[in-house]
Amino acid sequence: MKKLLSFVLIACMAVAMPTFAEETIKVGIILPLTGEKAKFGEIEKRSFELALEEINKAGGINGKKLEFIFEDDTGRPDVARSAAEKLITKDKVVMLGGGYGSSETFAIAGVAQQNKMPFLVNTGSDNKITEQGWEYVFRLNQPVSEYPKALASFLTEVVKPKTAVILYENTNFGTSGSKEFAKLCEELGIQVVMNEGYEHGGVDFKPLLIKVKEKNPDLVYMISYVMDAALLMKQSMELRLKPKLFVGGGAGFTLPEFQKNAGKASETVFSATLWYQTLKYPGAQEYYNKFVEKYKSDTEYHGAQAYAAAYVIADALKRAKSLKPEDVRQALAETDLMTAYGPVKFTSYDKMTNQNKLPTYLVQWIDGKLELVWPKEIAAKPYVYPIDWDKVWGQ
Amino acid sequence: MYTFFQTLVAGFLIGGIYALVGIGMTLIMGVMKIINLAHGQLMMVSMYLTYVLFTQFNIDPYVALIITMPALFLLGLFIQKYFLNPLLRVESILPENQVLMTVGIGMVLTEIMRFIFRSDYKSVKTSYSMSAIYLKGLSINLPMLIAFGIALVLTIALFWFLLKTDLGKSIRATAQNKEAAVLLGVNAEWITILTYGIGAGLVAAAGSLLLPIYYLFPDIGGPFTLKAFVITMLGGMGSTVGAIVGGVVLGIAESLGSTYVSMALRDTVAMVIFILVLIFLPGGLKKITKI
């Protein structure tokens, strides 16, 4: 027994040794690595790892190596909460990053604020995450209320619709996004004839779409994750729902999987997006190319957010006076960095604090490819409008 | 009027698939008196199998039925023989050990698939995936219609098997009274193994039929286990006819609920029906249909 115990002890020490030899700066990253949102979690994790490799190759944090400890929130707020607590108390990380789903991000942010642990959000976009006056919570990405801004100018200048239908998944993200879009419609003088949520993961959206068809709107705005998005479009095509345009509110509609699953039903569908590789930011196109080359799969704005977040984390840690949470927080607050995702600087506007302000864009699926079409000045391809659905969908 | 009929069509078609998902579970529950909480996960395995057959060997999902059904049948035999039956022989505090075991099996299956295929969403795109028949303006999804038809054929075949063959009669006898069946020379252990296999084979069919319509990821099993459970209760445990009617009733109720109440409350509608059935019709539809 004693022999066994000492053997176990030695084994433990042998495993623990390398960490003694090489001190690293640990940052906890919480992402959905399994579960329904794992597709996005994977893109983000890969982007974090890509950036980490580059940061450490370039000398790490003032000579010390940066280390990301990934935790899986499985797409559930309660799991996200305990993952954050584990990272703070057990792993003794110096700050937190990640945050994908809005509900999960909100849970993590609460824990971070309670424990006075800086937390840089890179995707969770429900407005209320930065509306609590939490000084330890920073957000790099645009809040969901910004998503339709580019769309707004497109609608007033090009389409001029009279009626709109809003469909959204009944999560924090969807509900918050639908409210914001409804407000925007009111400002633009568009009448919202139907505003309805759905439980995500449905097999059959036809009951919902039949109602939309009955209302015959000019515009259908949908806030959905990728597979719901694909099914919504497929079934819209089946029911021959023909508004002037379909617009996705970010999330699922920009992923390559959307096109792959919806096939020709994805054609000419617009989507709000937060980033595109042809944007004139230093490193944007390079990030895209590196990712595609390394992982042999496509990436989009979620990945760019994670990639940029890694650089913001490294930058803040480099500038921090010490690795105490208060100093890291201070350094984050003073961030002024150009990233592949755009400039990062935390300000306060509307009701939000520590919020990075960035424009949003409009993309459209044209001939099976996602193209940046709006604002006009930076468009990579002209938009397709008006749309002849019979021609797009075939008989 | 259009809205009403289109909703009805959509509900009816999805109900056909629900029925096929539920029928295997109801069979297992009737014979073994256990709730098979790995049911949806077995369907998920069949979907992955169909997916591999389609992408690697170019086998159409409908043709894949002749491979996935026997494959899952064998998997079912294996699970019952080596995981569930041994629990019967063990003295335990909880009589629900077998049910708990099925939960574990479901989790293991999910994680194995996640390990092999990652968490990615997958789907197959066949030439008919998006085709629909238009009947006086009503759209009828073709893959769903085919699925409904095959579901009907399989159910009739099962019915014939249970009513006319010796083996089927043994299964029914075991379901009615296990002790008596054993006394009359039925090998009850073999019957339970066989039943679980048939149940798995039937839900495998549901998986293959669903793939051209829906998509696939490792966690897809859970919600379908729940659906199957509701259908089983709705139809009355062990009643195949009840399962069909239960599946269609659930499909139509969900669709009507989505159209006239709210799509966000789709699952709520199902659960309310579930509770109402438990309160007012504890035996399920079997009480009415008698089969």
Side-chain angles (χ1 to χ4, degrees), chain A residues 302-354:
Chain A
H302 292 100
Q305 289 173 340
Y307 184 76
Y311 273 99
V312 172
I313 289 170
D315 173 66
L317 292 176
K318 271 184 213 165
R319 286 183 292 103
K321 271 188 271 163
S322 77
L323 292 179
K324 282 199 200 107
E326 176 49 38
D327 291 328
V328 175
R329 191 202 76 80
Q330 189 63 32
L332 260 176
E334 288 161 4
T335 300
D336 186 2
L337 185 73
M338 192 58 171
T339 68
Y341 189 67
V344 179
K345 199 172 183 180
F346 299 105
T347 57
S348 301
Y349 70 96
D350 293 347
K351 279 183 254 157
M352 292 176 285
T353 51
N354 294 336

Short mmCIF file of all heavy atoms in Angstrom, two decimals, chain A residues 302-354:
data_model
loop_
_atom_site.label_atom_id
_atom_site.label_comp_id
_atom_site.label_asym_id
_atom_site.label_seq_id
_atom_site.Cartn_x
_atom_site.Cartn_y
_atom_site.Cartn_z
N HIS A 302 -17.69 34.70 -36.46
CA HIS A 302 -17.48 34.19 -35.10
C HIS A 302 -16.01 33.91 -34.84
O HIS A 302 -15.46 34.23 -33.80
CB HIS A 302 -18.27 32.90 -34.88
CG HIS A 302 -19.75 33.12 -34.88
ND1 HIS A 302 -20.53 32.87 -35.97
CD2 HIS A 302 -20.57 33.56 -33.91
CE1 HIS A 302 -21.78 33.15 -35.68
NE2 HIS A 302 -21.84 33.57 -34.43
N GLY A 303 -15.37 33.27 -35.83
CA GLY A 303 -13.96 32.95 -35.71
C GLY A 303 -13.12 34.21 -35.59
O GLY A 303 -12.20 34.28 -34.76
N ALA A 304 -13.43 35.21 -36.40
CA ALA A 304 -12.68 36.46 -36.36
C ALA A 304 -12.80 37.14 -35.00
O ALA A 304 -11.84 37.73 -34.49
CB ALA A 304 -13.17 37.40 -37.46
N GLN A 305 -13.99 37.03 -34.41
CA GLN A 305 -14.19 37.61 -33.08
C GLN A 305 -13.26 36.95 -32.07
O GLN A 305 -12.61 37.63 -31.27
CB GLN A 305 -15.64 37.39 -32.62
CG GLN A 305 -16.64 38.24 -33.37
CD GLN A 305 -18.08 37.87 -33.02
OE1 GLN A 305 -18.36 36.77 -32.53
NE2 GLN A 305 -18.99 38.79 -33.28
N ALA A 306 -13.18 35.62 -32.12
CA ALA A 306 -12.34 34.89 -31.17
C ALA A 306 -10.87 35.22 -31.41
O ALA A 306 -10.11 35.45 -30.47
CB ALA A 306 -12.58 33.39 -31.33
N TYR A 307 -10.50 35.25 -32.68
CA TYR A 307 -9.12 35.54 -33.05
C TYR A 307 -8.71 36.92 -32.52
O TYR A 307 -7.66 37.08 -31.90
CB TYR A 307 -9.02 35.49 -34.57
CG TYR A 307 -7.63 35.67 -35.13
CD1 TYR A 307 -6.70 34.63 -35.08
CD2 TYR A 307 -7.26 36.87 -35.74
CE1 TYR A 307 -5.44 34.79 -35.61
CE2 TYR A 307 -6.00 37.02 -36.28
CZ TYR A 307 -5.09 35.98 -36.22
OH TYR A 307 -3.84 36.14 -36.74
N ALA A 308 -9.57 37.90 -32.73
CA ALA A 308 -9.27 39.26 -32.27
C ALA A 308 -9.26 39.30 -30.74
O ALA A 308 -8.41 39.98 -30.13
CB ALA A 308 -10.30 40.24 -32.82
N ALA A 309 -10.20 38.57 -30.11
CA ALA A 309 -10.28 38.58 -28.65
C ALA A 309 -8.97 38.08 -28.04
O ALA A 309 -8.47 38.64 -27.05
CB ALA A 309 -11.42 37.71 -28.18
N ALA A 310 -8.37 37.05 -28.67
CA ALA A 310 -7.10 36.52 -28.15
C ALA A 310 -6.04 37.62 -28.17
O ALA A 310 -5.26 37.77 -27.21
CB ALA A 310 -6.66 35.33 -29.00
N TYR A 311 -6.02 38.40 -29.23
CA TYR A 311 -5.04 39.48 -29.31
C TYR A 311 -5.31 40.59 -28.30
O TYR A 311 -4.39 41.18 -27.73
CB TYR A 311 -4.98 40.04 -30.74
CG TYR A 311 -4.02 39.24 -31.59
CD1 TYR A 311 -4.48 38.26 -32.45
CD2 TYR A 311 -2.65 39.46 -31.50
CE1 TYR A 311 -3.60 37.50 -33.20
CE2 TYR A 311 -1.75 38.71 -32.25
CZ TYR A 311 -2.22 37.73 -33.10
OH TYR A 311 -1.34 36.98 -33.83
N VAL A 312 -6.59 40.88 -28.08
CA VAL A 312 -6.93 41.90 -27.09
C VAL A 312 -6.52 41.44 -25.69
O VAL A 312 -5.96 42.21 -24.89
CB VAL A 312 -8.45 42.22 -27.13
CG1 VAL A 312 -8.84 43.15 -25.98
CG2 VAL A 312 -8.81 42.84 -28.46
N ILE A 313 -6.75 40.16 -25.40
CA ILE A 313 -6.36 39.60 -24.11
C ILE A 313 -4.84 39.73 -23.93
O ILE A 313 -4.35 40.22 -22.91
CB ILE A 313 -6.79 38.12 -24.01
CG1 ILE A 313 -8.31 38.03 -23.86
CG2 ILE A 313 -6.10 37.42 -22.84
CD1 ILE A 313 -8.89 36.63 -23.99
N ALA A 314 -4.09 39.31 -24.95
CA ALA A 314 -2.63 39.37 -24.88
C ALA A 314 -2.16 40.81 -24.70
O ALA A 314 -1.29 41.10 -23.87
CB ALA A 314 -2.03 38.77 -26.15
N ASP A 315 -2.78 41.70 -25.45
CA ASP A 315 -2.40 43.11 -25.38
C ASP A 315 -2.64 43.68 -23.98
O ASP A 315 -1.78 44.35 -23.41
CB ASP A 315 -3.23 43.88 -26.42
CG ASP A 315 -3.05 45.39 -26.32
OD1 ASP A 315 -1.92 45.85 -26.60
OD2 ASP A 315 -4.01 46.08 -25.94
N ALA A 316 -3.82 43.38 -23.42
CA ALA A 316 -4.14 43.90 -22.09
C ALA A 316 -3.19 43.35 -21.04
O ALA A 316 -2.72 44.08 -20.16
CB ALA A 316 -5.59 43.57 -21.74
N LEU A 317 -2.90 42.04 -21.15
CA LEU A 317 -2.02 41.43 -20.15
C LEU A 317 -0.60 41.99 -20.25
O LEU A 317 0.10 42.13 -19.25
CB LEU A 317 -2.00 39.90 -20.33
CG LEU A 317 -3.31 39.20 -19.99
CD1 LEU A 317 -3.22 37.71 -20.28
CD2 LEU A 317 -3.69 39.42 -18.52
N LYS A 318 -0.18 42.30 -21.46
CA LYS A 318 1.15 42.90 -21.64
C LYS A 318 1.22 44.25 -20.96
O LYS A 318 2.24 44.62 -20.37
CB LYS A 318 1.43 43.08 -23.14
CG LYS A 318 2.09 41.87 -23.78
CD LYS A 318 2.42 42.18 -25.24
CE LYS A 318 2.30 40.92 -26.08
NZ LYS A 318 2.24 41.18 -27.51
N ARG A 319 0.16 45.02 -21.06
CA ARG A 319 0.17 46.39 -20.53
C ARG A 319 -0.16 46.45 -19.04
O ARG A 319 0.11 47.46 -18.39
CB ARG A 319 -0.81 47.27 -21.32
CG ARG A 319 -0.31 47.65 -22.71
CD ARG A 319 -1.27 48.57 -23.41
NE ARG A 319 -2.53 47.90 -23.76
CZ ARG A 319 -3.66 48.06 -23.10
NH1 ARG A 319 -3.73 48.86 -22.06
NH2 ARG A 319 -4.75 47.41 -23.47
N ALA A 320 -0.77 45.39 -18.51
CA ALA A 320 -1.20 45.43 -17.10
C ALA A 320 0.00 45.60 -16.17
O ALA A 320 1.05 44.99 -16.39
CB ALA A 320 -1.96 44.16 -16.77
N LYS A 321 -0.18 46.42 -15.14
CA LYS A 321 0.90 46.68 -14.19
C LYS A 321 1.27 45.39 -13.45
O LYS A 321 2.43 45.11 -13.19
CB LYS A 321 0.47 47.75 -13.18
CG LYS A 321 0.80 49.16 -13.68
CD LYS A 321 0.54 50.19 -12.60
CE LYS A 321 -0.87 50.61 -12.72
NZ LYS A 321 -1.66 51.24 -11.85
N SER A 322 0.26 44.64 -13.08
CA SER A 322 0.49 43.32 -12.49
C SER A 322 -0.63 42.42 -12.98
O SER A 322 -1.50 42.88 -13.72
CB SER A 322 0.47 43.42 -10.97
OG SER A 322 -0.87 43.51 -10.54
N LEU A 323 -0.60 41.16 -12.57
CA LEU A 323 -1.65 40.28 -13.04
C LEU A 323 -2.82 40.22 -12.07
O LEU A 323 -3.67 39.33 -12.15
CB LEU A 323 -1.07 38.88 -13.29
CG LEU A 323 -0.10 38.85 -14.48
CD1 LEU A 323 0.46 37.45 -14.68
CD2 LEU A 323 -0.77 39.32 -15.77
N LYS A 324 -2.85 41.17 -11.14
CA LYS A 324 -4.01 41.24 -10.24
C LYS A 324 -5.23 41.66 -11.06
O LYS A 324 -5.12 42.49 -11.96
CB LYS A 324 -3.73 42.29 -9.15
CG LYS A 324 -2.81 41.77 -8.06
CD LYS A 324 -2.96 42.64 -6.82
CE LYS A 324 -1.77 42.47 -5.93
NZ LYS A 324 -0.88 43.65 -5.94
N PRO A 325 -6.39 41.11 -10.70
CA PRO A 325 -7.61 41.41 -11.48
C PRO A 325 -7.84 42.90 -11.69
O PRO A 325 -8.20 43.33 -12.78
CB PRO A 325 -8.72 40.79 -10.65
CG PRO A 325 -8.06 39.74 -9.84
CD PRO A 325 -6.65 40.16 -9.63
N GLU A 326 -7.61 43.69 -10.67
CA GLU A 326 -7.89 45.12 -10.77
C GLU A 326 -7.01 45.77 -11.85
O GLU A 326 -7.46 46.59 -12.64
CB GLU A 326 -7.68 45.79 -9.40
CG GLU A 326 -7.85 47.30 -9.38
CD GLU A 326 -9.14 47.78 -10.05
OE1 GLU A 326 -10.17 47.11 -9.91
OE2 GLU A 326 -9.09 48.81 -10.75
N ASP A 327 -5.72 45.34 -11.87
CA ASP A 327 -4.81 45.91 -12.86
C ASP A 327 -5.13 45.44 -14.27
O ASP A 327 -5.03 46.20 -15.23
CB ASP A 327 -3.35 45.54 -12.51
CG ASP A 327 -2.89 46.27 -11.25
OD1 ASP A 327 -3.36 47.40 -11.03
OD2 ASP A 327 -2.09 45.70 -10.50
N VAL A 328 -5.52 44.17 -14.38
CA VAL A 328 -5.91 43.65 -15.70
C VAL A 328 -7.15 44.39 -16.20
O VAL A 328 -7.25 44.77 -17.36
CB VAL A 328 -6.17 42.13 -15.63
CG1 VAL A 328 -6.69 41.61 -16.96
CG2 VAL A 328 -4.90 41.38 -15.25
N ARG A 329 -8.08 44.61 -15.28
CA ARG A 329 -9.29 45.34 -15.63
C ARG A 329 -8.94 46.74 -16.15
O ARG A 329 -9.46 47.20 -17.16
CB ARG A 329 -10.20 45.47 -14.40
CG ARG A 329 -11.59 45.97 -14.72
CD ARG A 329 -12.26 46.58 -13.52
NE ARG A 329 -11.73 47.90 -13.24
CZ ARG A 329 -12.10 48.99 -13.89
NH1 ARG A 329 -13.00 48.93 -14.84
NH2 ARG A 329 -11.56 50.16 -13.60
N GLN A 330 -8.03 47.39 -15.43
CA GLN A 330 -7.60 48.73 -15.79
C GLN A 330 -7.00 48.73 -17.21
O GLN A 330 -7.33 49.56 -18.05
CB GLN A 330 -6.57 49.23 -14.76
CG GLN A 330 -6.19 50.69 -14.90
CD GLN A 330 -7.39 51.60 -14.66
OE1 GLN A 330 -8.29 51.26 -13.86
NE2 GLN A 330 -7.45 52.71 -15.36
N ALA A 331 -6.13 47.74 -17.44
CA ALA A 331 -5.48 47.63 -18.75
C ALA A 331 -6.50 47.39 -19.86
O ALA A 331 -6.43 47.99 -20.93
CB ALA A 331 -4.46 46.50 -18.72
N LEU A 332 -7.48 46.54 -19.57
CA LEU A 332 -8.53 46.26 -20.57
C LEU A 332 -9.30 47.54 -20.89
O LEU A 332 -9.58 47.84 -22.05
CB LEU A 332 -9.50 45.21 -20.03
CG LEU A 332 -9.34 43.77 -20.50
CD1 LEU A 332 -10.34 42.89 -19.77
CD2 LEU A 332 -9.55 43.63 -22.00
N ALA A 333 -9.61 48.29 -19.86
CA ALA A 333 -10.39 49.51 -20.03
C ALA A 333 -9.64 50.51 -20.90
O ALA A 333 -10.26 51.32 -21.60
CB ALA A 333 -10.72 50.11 -18.67
N GLU A 334 -8.31 50.44 -20.86
CA GLU A 334 -7.52 51.40 -21.64
C GLU A 334 -7.17 50.88 -23.03
O GLU A 334 -6.39 51.51 -23.75
CB GLU A 334 -6.23 51.74 -20.87
CG GLU A 334 -6.49 52.61 -19.65
CD GLU A 334 -5.34 52.57 -18.65
OE1 GLU A 334 -4.31 51.92 -18.94
OE2 GLU A 334 -5.50 53.17 -17.58
N THR A 335 -7.73 49.73 -23.39
CA THR A 335 -7.39 49.11 -24.69
C THR A 335 -7.65 50.07 -25.85
O THR A 335 -8.68 50.74 -25.90
CB THR A 335 -8.22 47.83 -24.89
OG1 THR A 335 -7.92 46.93 -23.85
CG2 THR A 335 -7.90 47.19 -26.23
N ASP A 336 -6.68 50.13 -26.74
CA ASP A 336 -6.88 50.85 -28.00
C ASP A 336 -6.07 50.11 -29.04
O ASP A 336 -4.90 50.41 -29.27
CB ASP A 336 -6.42 52.30 -27.85
CG ASP A 336 -6.75 53.10 -29.10
OD1 ASP A 336 -7.37 52.53 -30.02
OD2 ASP A 336 -6.39 54.29 -29.15
N LEU A 337 -6.69 49.09 -29.64
CA LEU A 337 -5.92 48.15 -30.46
C LEU A 337 -6.63 47.93 -31.79
O LEU A 337 -7.84 47.83 -31.86
CB LEU A 337 -5.80 46.82 -29.71
CG LEU A 337 -4.94 45.74 -30.35
CD1 LEU A 337 -3.47 46.08 -30.22
CD2 LEU A 337 -5.22 44.39 -29.69
N MET A 338 -5.83 47.84 -32.86
CA MET A 338 -6.38 47.48 -34.16
C MET A 338 -6.27 45.97 -34.33
O MET A 338 -5.20 45.41 -34.14
CB MET A 338 -5.59 48.20 -35.25
CG MET A 338 -6.25 48.11 -36.58
SD MET A 338 -7.91 48.83 -36.47
CE MET A 338 -8.38 48.85 -38.15
N THR A 339 -7.37 45.30 -34.63
CA THR A 339 -7.32 43.85 -34.80
C THR A 339 -7.89 43.48 -36.17
O THR A 339 -8.40 44.34 -36.89
CB THR A 339 -8.18 43.13 -33.74
OG1 THR A 339 -9.55 43.45 -34.01
CG2 THR A 339 -7.82 43.56 -32.34
N ALA A 340 -7.80 42.20 -36.46
CA ALA A 340 -8.35 41.71 -37.73
C ALA A 340 -9.87 41.90 -37.77
O ALA A 340 -10.47 41.90 -38.84
CB ALA A 340 -8.01 40.24 -37.90
N TYR A 341 -10.45 42.06 -36.61
CA TYR A 341 -11.91 42.22 -36.53
C TYR A 341 -12.31 43.70 -36.57
O TYR A 341 -13.48 44.03 -36.69
CB TYR A 341 -12.39 41.58 -35.23
CG TYR A 341 -13.89 41.48 -35.10
CD1 TYR A 341 -14.62 40.64 -35.92
CD2 TYR A 341 -14.57 42.22 -34.14
CE1 TYR A 341 -15.98 40.54 -35.80
CE2 TYR A 341 -15.94 42.13 -34.01
CZ TYR A 341 -16.64 41.29 -34.85
OH TYR A 341 -18.01 41.19 -34.73
N GLY A 342 -11.30 44.58 -36.48
CA GLY A 342 -11.59 46.01 -36.47
C GLY A 342 -10.99 46.63 -35.23
O GLY A 342 -10.40 45.94 -34.40
N PRO A 343 -11.12 47.95 -35.09
CA PRO A 343 -10.55 48.63 -33.93
C PRO A 343 -11.27 48.25 -32.64
O PRO A 343 -12.49 48.09 -32.64
CB PRO A 343 -10.75 50.11 -34.25
CG PRO A 343 -11.86 50.14 -35.23
CD PRO A 343 -11.80 48.88 -36.01
N VAL A 344 -10.52 48.08 -31.57
CA VAL A 344 -11.12 47.73 -30.28
C VAL A 344 -10.82 48.82 -29.26
O VAL A 344 -9.66 49.14 -28.99
CB VAL A 344 -10.58 46.38 -29.76
CG1 VAL A 344 -11.20 46.06 -28.40
CG2 VAL A 344 -10.88 45.27 -30.75
N LYS A 345 -11.88 49.40 -28.74
CA LYS A 345 -11.77 50.46 -27.75
C LYS A 345 -13.07 50.43 -26.97
O LYS A 345 -14.15 50.47 -27.58
CB LYS A 345 -11.61 51.80 -28.48
CG LYS A 345 -11.04 52.90 -27.62
CD LYS A 345 -10.77 54.09 -28.50
CE LYS A 345 -10.13 55.19 -27.68
NZ LYS A 345 -9.84 56.36 -28.50
N PHE A 346 -12.98 50.30 -25.64
CA PHE A 346 -14.22 50.14 -24.88
C PHE A 346 -14.77 51.48 -24.43
O PHE A 346 -14.09 52.26 -23.79
CB PHE A 346 -13.97 49.22 -23.69
CG PHE A 346 -13.53 47.86 -24.12
CD1 PHE A 346 -12.21 47.47 -23.98
CD2 PHE A 346 -14.41 46.97 -24.71
CE1 PHE A 346 -11.78 46.22 -24.41
CE2 PHE A 346 -14.00 45.72 -25.15
CZ PHE A 346 -12.69 45.34 -24.99
N THR A 347 -16.02 51.74 -24.80
CA THR A 347 -16.66 53.00 -24.44
C THR A 347 -18.03 52.70 -23.83
O THR A 347 -18.43 51.56 -23.70
CB THR A 347 -16.88 53.86 -25.70
OG1 THR A 347 -17.65 53.10 -26.63
CG2 THR A 347 -15.56 54.26 -26.33
N SER A 348 -18.69 53.77 -23.46
CA SER A 348 -20.06 53.61 -22.98
C SER A 348 -20.98 54.36 -23.92
O SER A 348 -20.72 55.51 -24.25
CB SER A 348 -20.19 54.20 -21.58
OG SER A 348 -19.30 53.54 -20.72
N TYR A 349 -22.02 53.71 -24.39
CA TYR A 349 -23.03 54.40 -25.17
C TYR A 349 -24.37 53.73 -24.97
O TYR A 349 -24.45 52.60 -24.52
CB TYR A 349 -22.63 54.50 -26.64
CG TYR A 349 -22.64 53.21 -27.42
CD1 TYR A 349 -23.75 52.85 -28.17
CD2 TYR A 349 -21.53 52.38 -27.40
CE1 TYR A 349 -23.75 51.68 -28.90
CE2 TYR A 349 -21.53 51.20 -28.12
CZ TYR A 349 -22.64 50.85 -28.87
OH TYR A 349 -22.65 49.69 -29.58
N ASP A 350 -25.43 54.44 -25.33
CA ASP A 350 -26.79 54.03 -24.95
C ASP A 350 -26.78 53.68 -23.46
O ASP A 350 -26.32 54.45 -22.67
CB ASP A 350 -27.27 52.86 -25.81
CG ASP A 350 -27.46 53.28 -27.27
OD1 ASP A 350 -27.45 54.51 -27.51
OD2 ASP A 350 -27.59 52.42 -28.15
N LYS A 351 -27.24 52.47 -23.15
CA LYS A 351 -27.22 52.10 -21.72
C LYS A 351 -26.02 51.22 -21.41
O LYS A 351 -25.87 50.71 -20.32
CB LYS A 351 -28.52 51.35 -21.38
CG LYS A 351 -29.69 52.28 -21.14
CD LYS A 351 -30.92 51.49 -20.72
CE LYS A 351 -31.94 51.40 -21.84
NZ LYS A 351 -32.86 50.30 -21.77
N MET A 352 -25.17 51.00 -22.41
CA MET A 352 -24.11 50.01 -22.25
C MET A 352 -22.78 50.61 -21.78
O MET A 352 -22.46 51.75 -22.10
CB MET A 352 -23.89 49.28 -23.57
CG MET A 352 -25.08 48.41 -23.95
SD MET A 352 -24.91 47.63 -25.54
CE MET A 352 -25.21 48.98 -26.65
N THR A 353 -22.06 49.81 -21.02
CA THR A 353 -20.73 50.21 -20.58
C THR A 353 -19.70 49.21 -21.10
O THR A 353 -20.03 48.06 -21.37
CB THR A 353 -20.64 50.24 -19.05
OG1 THR A 353 -21.12 48.99 -18.55
CG2 THR A 353 -21.44 51.37 -18.45
N ASN A 354 -18.44 49.64 -21.19
CA ASN A 354 -17.36 48.77 -21.65
C ASN A 354 -17.72 48.04 -22.93
O ASN A 354 -17.53 46.85 -23.07
CB ASN A 354 -17.01 47.72 -20.58
CG ASN A 354 -16.41 48.36 -19.35
OD1 ASN A 354 -15.86 49.46 -19.44
ND2 ASN A 354 -16.51 47.68 -18.23
#
